[in-house]
Amino acid sequence: GYTGSANYEFFNEGNQFFPGMKINRSNTSSNIFHTRTTLQRSRKEWQDGVPSPGEMVKVSSLKEDHPATIYLHERGISPTQADLYNVLYCKKGYFDFSARLGTTSGRVIFPIFMNETLIGWQARQIDTSSKRTRSVWKGEDNGWWSPQKIVTETGLEKYEDCDVPKYYTCPGMHRSRSLLNFDQATQNPNFVVVVEGPIDAIKVGENAVASFGKRLTKDRGRLLCANWSRVIMVLDE
């Protein structure tokens, strides 16, 4: 999740990793680093040193016909449950990942707390699809967007936003050491249910944690074994 210039961070005019190593320096490297630093400082902090995804509100404050409310309702999560698990909605995103990837605007935010400390978040895209059409919610300013199908060089037919991830993970957050709903689940040391995504964890309940994927890293394994006597894995196929 780190962004910056390795050339600037690890080298200067007098030091190099080993004698005789030559670095071709760009005259604009310092300007690039200054620009990136300015952008990083302009991002607002949420808490505990974690950058904020944007201007957020509680799900319960949204209207019943709001896309975020409908999205969660269709997955069996009420506004009350969303508030209980600190799920938020991002009205205006601070993170402009790129012109292609867009921002965190219009996304559902799942904060990750461990030992009562905010360590990061995931931002879930709101979308709907059928056999013929697909729509993506871009927030209050841009509304719904319907990406068109394109044909790749190999002849495959894909939507034009096929490379845009449904989940954005907070820059700097170590997913390999993170478990959503960790604090709540550790209150019952007898067992824990491990699922992949935040939605699944909320649906299972207070004894579930989300691993953000199928991969069980060593760090996650240590966390699970250290806090629960029985681990039940319920991962997607």
mmCIF file of all heavy atoms in Angstrom, residues 9-40:
data_model
loop_
_atom_site.group_PDB
_atom_site.id
_atom_site.type_symbol
_atom_site.label_atom_id
_atom_site.label_comp_id
_atom_site.label_asym_id
_atom_site.label_seq_id
_atom_site.Cartn_x
_atom_site.Cartn_y
_atom_site.Cartn_z
ATOM 1 N N GLU A 9 13.673 7.666 -1.640
ATOM 2 C CA GLU A 9 13.721 7.202 -0.260
ATOM 3 C C GLU A 9 15.043 6.529 0.082
ATOM 4 O O GLU A 9 15.566 6.686 1.181
ATOM 5 C CB GLU A 9 12.568 6.217 -0.011
ATOM 6 C CG GLU A 9 11.193 6.856 -0.040
ATOM 7 C CD GLU A 9 10.954 7.757 1.157
ATOM 8 O OE1 GLU A 9 11.652 7.588 2.171
ATOM 9 O OE2 GLU A 9 10.091 8.627 1.073
ATOM 10 N N PHE A 10 15.592 5.719 -0.843
ATOM 11 C CA PHE A 10 16.727 4.875 -0.510
ATOM 12 C C PHE A 10 18.083 5.401 -0.991
ATOM 13 O O PHE A 10 19.107 4.862 -0.644
ATOM 14 C CB PHE A 10 16.504 3.472 -1.071
ATOM 15 C CG PHE A 10 15.340 2.777 -0.455
ATOM 16 C CD1 PHE A 10 14.167 2.603 -1.158
ATOM 17 C CD2 PHE A 10 15.395 2.315 0.852
ATOM 18 C CE1 PHE A 10 13.083 1.975 -0.589
ATOM 19 C CE2 PHE A 10 14.316 1.693 1.439
ATOM 20 C CZ PHE A 10 13.146 1.515 0.710
ATOM 21 N N PHE A 11 18.057 6.426 -1.795
ATOM 22 C CA PHE A 11 19.314 6.955 -2.306
ATOM 23 C C PHE A 11 19.349 8.474 -2.143
ATOM 24 O O PHE A 11 18.322 9.133 -2.110
ATOM 25 C CB PHE A 11 19.491 6.631 -3.802
ATOM 26 C CG PHE A 11 19.448 5.175 -4.121
ATOM 27 C CD1 PHE A 11 18.276 4.588 -4.570
ATOM 28 C CD2 PHE A 11 20.563 4.376 -3.951
ATOM 29 C CE1 PHE A 11 18.219 3.248 -4.867
ATOM 30 C CE2 PHE A 11 20.515 3.025 -4.254
ATOM 31 C CZ PHE A 11 19.336 2.454 -4.705
ATOM 32 N N ASN A 12 20.537 9.006 -2.059
ATOM 33 C CA ASN A 12 20.710 10.447 -2.191
ATOM 34 C C ASN A 12 21.978 10.677 -3.007
ATOM 35 O O ASN A 12 22.560 9.736 -3.528
ATOM 36 C CB ASN A 12 20.772 11.131 -0.819
ATOM 37 C CG ASN A 12 21.894 10.576 0.055
ATOM 38 O OD1 ASN A 12 22.977 10.299 -0.439
ATOM 39 N ND2 ASN A 12 21.622 10.409 1.338
ATOM 40 N N GLU A 13 22.391 11.922 -3.115
ATOM 41 C CA GLU A 13 23.526 12.217 -4.008
ATOM 42 C C GLU A 13 24.814 11.571 -3.527
ATOM 43 O O GLU A 13 25.726 11.345 -4.299
ATOM 44 C CB GLU A 13 23.716 13.740 -4.093
ATOM 45 C CG GLU A 13 22.546 14.461 -4.742
ATOM 46 C CD GLU A 13 22.323 14.039 -6.174
ATOM 47 O OE1 GLU A 13 23.275 13.590 -6.822
ATOM 48 O OE2 GLU A 13 21.172 14.132 -6.641
ATOM 49 N N GLY A 14 24.930 11.223 -2.229
ATOM 50 C CA GLY A 14 26.196 10.709 -1.718
ATOM 51 C C GLY A 14 26.186 9.238 -1.361
ATOM 52 O O GLY A 14 27.245 8.631 -1.199
ATOM 53 N N ASN A 15 25.021 8.641 -1.199
ATOM 54 C CA ASN A 15 24.952 7.250 -0.738
ATOM 55 C C ASN A 15 24.346 6.336 -1.792
ATOM 56 O O ASN A 15 23.410 6.702 -2.486
ATOM 57 C CB ASN A 15 24.089 7.153 0.525
ATOM 58 C CG ASN A 15 24.723 7.893 1.686
ATOM 59 O OD1 ASN A 15 25.936 7.907 1.832
ATOM 60 N ND2 ASN A 15 23.892 8.511 2.510
ATOM 61 N N GLN A 16 24.900 5.115 -1.858
ATOM 62 C CA GLN A 16 24.371 4.082 -2.737
ATOM 63 C C GLN A 16 24.458 2.757 -1.989
ATOM 64 O O GLN A 16 25.153 2.638 -0.981
ATOM 65 C CB GLN A 16 25.165 4.016 -4.051
ATOM 66 C CG GLN A 16 25.027 5.281 -4.890
ATOM 67 C CD GLN A 16 25.863 5.230 -6.153
ATOM 68 O OE1 GLN A 16 26.875 4.567 -6.188
ATOM 69 N NE2 GLN A 16 25.434 5.945 -7.165
ATOM 70 N N PHE A 17 23.745 1.736 -2.489
ATOM 71 C CA PHE A 17 23.740 0.465 -1.789
ATOM 72 C C PHE A 17 25.116 -0.196 -1.770
ATOM 73 O O PHE A 17 25.505 -0.816 -0.803
ATOM 74 C CB PHE A 17 22.720 -0.481 -2.432
ATOM 75 C CG PHE A 17 21.328 -0.273 -1.933
ATOM 76 C CD1 PHE A 17 20.288 -0.048 -2.819
ATOM 77 C CD2 PHE A 17 21.053 -0.283 -0.588
ATOM 78 C CE1 PHE A 17 18.996 0.153 -2.368
ATOM 79 C CE2 PHE A 17 19.774 -0.091 -0.123
ATOM 80 C CZ PHE A 17 18.740 0.131 -1.015
ATOM 81 N N PHE A 18 25.865 -0.096 -2.869
ATOM 82 C CA PHE A 18 27.205 -0.677 -2.880
ATOM 83 C C PHE A 18 28.088 0.145 -3.816
ATOM 84 O O PHE A 18 27.579 0.824 -4.716
ATOM 85 C CB PHE A 18 27.178 -2.150 -3.317
ATOM 86 C CG PHE A 18 26.487 -2.405 -4.624
ATOM 87 C CD1 PHE A 18 27.169 -2.284 -5.823
ATOM 88 C CD2 PHE A 18 25.156 -2.778 -4.633
ATOM 89 C CE1 PHE A 18 26.532 -2.535 -7.025
ATOM 90 C CE2 PHE A 18 24.513 -3.027 -5.845
ATOM 91 C CZ PHE A 18 25.204 -2.912 -7.038
ATOM 92 N N PRO A 19 29.396 0.118 -3.623
ATOM 93 C CA PRO A 19 30.301 0.935 -4.428
ATOM 94 C C PRO A 19 30.182 0.628 -5.912
ATOM 95 O O PRO A 19 30.062 -0.528 -6.314
ATOM 96 C CB PRO A 19 31.683 0.553 -3.892
ATOM 97 C CG PRO A 19 31.432 0.042 -2.526
ATOM 98 C CD PRO A 19 30.102 -0.625 -2.579
ATOM 99 N N GLY A 20 30.187 1.663 -6.717
ATOM 100 C CA GLY A 20 30.142 1.508 -8.158
ATOM 101 C C GLY A 20 28.738 1.433 -8.734
ATOM 102 O O GLY A 20 28.569 1.429 -9.946
ATOM 103 N N MET A 21 27.740 1.362 -7.866
ATOM 104 C CA MET A 21 26.362 1.297 -8.359
ATOM 105 C C MET A 21 25.964 2.657 -8.899
ATOM 106 O O MET A 21 26.116 3.669 -8.223
ATOM 107 C CB MET A 21 25.417 0.886 -7.222
ATOM 108 C CG MET A 21 23.977 0.682 -7.659
ATOM 109 S SD MET A 21 22.977 0.105 -6.278
ATOM 110 C CE MET A 21 21.426 -0.181 -7.117
ATOM 111 N N LYS A 22 25.468 2.698 -10.118
ATOM 112 C CA LYS A 22 25.118 3.955 -10.748
ATOM 113 C C LYS A 22 23.604 4.060 -10.912
ATOM 114 O O LYS A 22 22.947 3.120 -11.333
ATOM 115 C CB LYS A 22 25.805 4.083 -12.112
ATOM 116 C CG LYS A 22 27.324 4.159 -12.017
ATOM 117 C CD LYS A 22 27.937 4.340 -13.390
ATOM 118 C CE LYS A 22 29.453 4.431 -13.278
ATOM 119 N NZ LYS A 22 30.080 4.622 -14.601
ATOM 120 N N ILE A 23 23.076 5.213 -10.564
ATOM 121 C CA ILE A 23 21.645 5.467 -10.681
ATOM 122 C C ILE A 23 21.429 6.592 -11.678
ATOM 123 O O ILE A 23 22.028 7.657 -11.566
ATOM 124 C CB ILE A 23 21.033 5.877 -9.329
ATOM 125 C CG1 ILE A 23 21.318 4.803 -8.268
ATOM 126 C CG2 ILE A 23 19.539 6.105 -9.460
ATOM 127 C CD1 ILE A 23 20.676 3.479 -8.568
ATOM 128 N N ASN A 24 20.618 6.346 -12.693
ATOM 129 C CA ASN A 24 20.248 7.404 -13.627
ATOM 130 C C ASN A 24 19.105 8.211 -13.030
ATOM 131 O O ASN A 24 17.972 7.744 -12.935
ATOM 132 C CB ASN A 24 19.813 6.797 -14.970
ATOM 133 C CG ASN A 24 20.962 6.105 -15.665
ATOM 134 O OD1 ASN A 24 22.101 6.564 -15.589
ATOM 135 N ND2 ASN A 24 20.670 4.994 -16.335
ATOM 136 N N ARG A 25 19.409 9.417 -12.593
ATOM 137 C CA ARG A 25 18.423 10.237 -11.901
ATOM 138 C C ARG A 25 17.706 11.163 -12.875
ATOM 139 O O ARG A 25 18.325 11.772 -13.729
ATOM 140 C CB ARG A 25 19.088 11.080 -10.811
ATOM 141 C CG ARG A 25 19.786 10.260 -9.750
ATOM 142 C CD ARG A 25 20.409 11.155 -8.701
ATOM 143 N NE ARG A 25 21.132 10.360 -7.723
ATOM 144 C CZ ARG A 25 20.570 9.764 -6.679
ATOM 145 N NH1 ARG A 25 19.283 9.883 -6.496
ATOM 146 N NH2 ARG A 25 21.284 9.073 -5.832
ATOM 147 N N SER A 26 16.411 11.237 -12.706
ATOM 148 C CA SER A 26 15.633 12.173 -13.501
ATOM 149 C C SER A 26 15.663 13.537 -12.836
ATOM 150 O O SER A 26 15.630 13.652 -11.613
ATOM 151 C CB SER A 26 14.181 11.689 -13.625
ATOM 152 O OG SER A 26 13.391 12.694 -14.198
ATOM 153 N N ASN A 27 15.739 14.583 -13.640
ATOM 154 C CA ASN A 27 15.747 15.934 -13.081
ATOM 155 C C ASN A 27 14.427 16.287 -12.416
ATOM 156 O O ASN A 27 14.354 17.216 -11.609
ATOM 157 C CB ASN A 27 16.032 16.954 -14.195
ATOM 158 C CG ASN A 27 17.440 16.810 -14.745
ATOM 159 O OD1 ASN A 27 18.361 16.417 -14.018
ATOM 160 N ND2 ASN A 27 17.614 17.106 -16.027
ATOM 161 N N THR A 28 13.381 15.531 -12.737
ATOM 162 C CA THR A 28 12.061 15.852 -12.180
ATOM 163 C C THR A 28 11.701 14.957 -11.006
ATOM 164 O O THR A 28 10.595 15.035 -10.501
ATOM 165 C CB THR A 28 10.979 15.686 -13.257
ATOM 166 O OG1 THR A 28 10.984 14.325 -13.722
ATOM 167 C CG2 THR A 28 11.211 16.619 -14.419
ATOM 168 N N SER A 29 12.651 14.112 -10.552
ATOM 169 C CA SER A 29 12.310 13.162 -9.484
ATOM 170 C C SER A 29 11.876 13.865 -8.212
ATOM 171 O O SER A 29 10.946 13.445 -7.541
ATOM 172 C CB SER A 29 13.503 12.248 -9.196
ATOM 173 O OG SER A 29 14.614 13.013 -8.761
ATOM 174 N N SER A 30 12.563 14.958 -7.850
ATOM 175 C CA SER A 30 12.201 15.666 -6.624
ATOM 176 C C SER A 30 10.820 16.294 -6.745
ATOM 177 O O SER A 30 10.061 16.337 -5.786
ATOM 178 C CB SER A 30 13.250 16.740 -6.311
ATOM 179 O OG SER A 30 13.326 17.674 -7.385
ATOM 180 N N ASN A 31 10.481 16.791 -7.956
ATOM 181 C CA ASN A 31 9.157 17.373 -8.151
ATOM 182 C C ASN A 31 8.065 16.315 -8.050
ATOM 183 O O ASN A 31 6.997 16.554 -7.499
ATOM 184 C CB ASN A 31 9.078 18.058 -9.522
ATOM 185 C CG ASN A 31 9.978 19.283 -9.596
ATOM 186 O OD1 ASN A 31 10.237 19.912 -8.581
ATOM 187 N ND2 ASN A 31 10.452 19.588 -10.792
ATOM 188 N N ILE A 32 8.353 15.109 -8.591
ATOM 189 C CA ILE A 32 7.395 14.017 -8.511
ATOM 190 C C ILE A 32 7.156 13.636 -7.060
ATOM 191 O O ILE A 32 6.028 13.459 -6.620
ATOM 192 C CB ILE A 32 7.889 12.799 -9.310
ATOM 193 C CG1 ILE A 32 7.911 13.123 -10.798
ATOM 194 C CG2 ILE A 32 7.020 11.577 -9.036
ATOM 195 C CD1 ILE A 32 8.552 12.040 -11.647
ATOM 196 N N PHE A 33 8.262 13.528 -6.281
ATOM 197 C CA PHE A 33 8.117 13.159 -4.879
ATOM 198 C C PHE A 33 7.336 14.228 -4.119
ATOM 199 O O PHE A 33 6.471 13.927 -3.304
ATOM 200 C CB PHE A 33 9.490 12.964 -4.241
ATOM 201 C CG PHE A 33 9.421 12.649 -2.771
ATOM 202 C CD1 PHE A 33 9.083 11.369 -2.362
ATOM 203 C CD2 PHE A 33 9.666 13.617 -1.819
ATOM 204 C CE1 PHE A 33 9.006 11.063 -1.018
ATOM 205 C CE2 PHE A 33 9.584 13.325 -0.469
ATOM 206 C CZ PHE A 33 9.264 12.044 -0.071
ATOM 207 N N HIS A 34 7.622 15.507 -4.425
ATOM 208 C CA HIS A 34 6.926 16.599 -3.744
ATOM 209 C C HIS A 34 5.433 16.551 -4.041
ATOM 210 O O HIS A 34 4.603 16.731 -3.155
ATOM 211 C CB HIS A 34 7.503 17.938 -4.194
ATOM 212 C CG HIS A 34 6.764 19.122 -3.640
ATOM 213 N ND1 HIS A 34 6.878 19.499 -2.322
ATOM 214 C CD2 HIS A 34 5.878 19.979 -4.219
ATOM 215 C CE1 HIS A 34 6.101 20.556 -2.107
ATOM 216 N NE2 HIS A 34 5.481 20.864 -3.247
ATOM 217 N N THR A 35 5.088 16.265 -5.307
ATOM 218 C CA THR A 35 3.674 16.188 -5.684
ATOM 219 C C THR A 35 2.979 15.051 -4.954
ATOM 220 O O THR A 35 1.883 15.216 -4.428
ATOM 221 C CB THR A 35 3.536 15.984 -7.202
ATOM 222 O OG1 THR A 35 4.188 17.065 -7.869
ATOM 223 C CG2 THR A 35 2.073 15.939 -7.612
ATOM 224 N N ARG A 36 3.631 13.868 -4.891
ATOM 225 C CA ARG A 36 3.026 12.729 -4.221
ATOM 226 C C ARG A 36 2.874 12.998 -2.731
ATOM 227 O O ARG A 36 1.868 12.651 -2.124
ATOM 228 C CB ARG A 36 3.890 11.485 -4.438
ATOM 229 C CG ARG A 36 3.786 10.926 -5.863
ATOM 230 C CD ARG A 36 4.741 9.794 -6.075
ATOM 231 N NE ARG A 36 4.566 9.203 -7.398
ATOM 232 C CZ ARG A 36 5.410 8.353 -7.929
ATOM 233 N NH1 ARG A 36 6.491 7.996 -7.275
ATOM 234 N NH2 ARG A 36 5.182 7.841 -9.135
ATOM 235 N N THR A 37 3.884 13.623 -2.130
ATOM 236 C CA THR A 37 3.801 13.932 -0.717
ATOM 237 C C THR A 37 2.652 14.889 -0.439
ATOM 238 O O THR A 37 1.915 14.744 0.536
ATOM 239 C CB THR A 37 5.127 14.554 -0.229
ATOM 240 O OG1 THR A 37 6.201 13.668 -0.536
ATOM 241 C CG2 THR A 37 5.090 14.801 1.272
ATOM 242 N N THR A 38 2.490 15.883 -1.304
ATOM 243 C CA THR A 38 1.395 16.837 -1.140
ATOM 244 C C THR A 38 0.048 16.136 -1.220
ATOM 245 O O THR A 38 -0.854 16.412 -0.428
ATOM 246 C CB THR A 38 1.472 17.936 -2.224
ATOM 247 O OG1 THR A 38 2.742 18.575 -2.140
ATOM 248 C CG2 THR A 38 0.364 18.963 -2.035
ATOM 249 N N LEU A 39 -0.096 15.202 -2.167
ATOM 250 C CA LEU A 39 -1.344 14.459 -2.308
ATOM 251 C C LEU A 39 -1.623 13.604 -1.083
ATOM 252 O O LEU A 39 -2.752 13.530 -0.609
ATOM 253 C CB LEU A 39 -1.291 13.573 -3.554
ATOM 254 C CG LEU A 39 -1.372 14.296 -4.902
ATOM 255 C CD1 LEU A 39 -1.115 13.330 -6.038
ATOM 256 C CD2 LEU A 39 -2.738 14.954 -5.079
ATOM 257 N N GLN A 40 -0.564 12.961 -0.544
ATOM 258 C CA GLN A 40 -0.746 12.133 0.624
ATOM 259 C C GLN A 40 -1.166 12.965 1.831
ATOM 260 O O GLN A 40 -2.044 12.571 2.596
ATOM 261 C CB GLN A 40 0.547 11.379 0.937
ATOM 262 C CG GLN A 40 0.864 10.277 -0.078
ATOM 263 C CD GLN A 40 2.271 9.756 0.076
ATOM 264 O OE1 GLN A 40 3.030 10.229 0.917
ATOM 265 N NE2 GLN A 40 2.618 8.792 -0.754
#
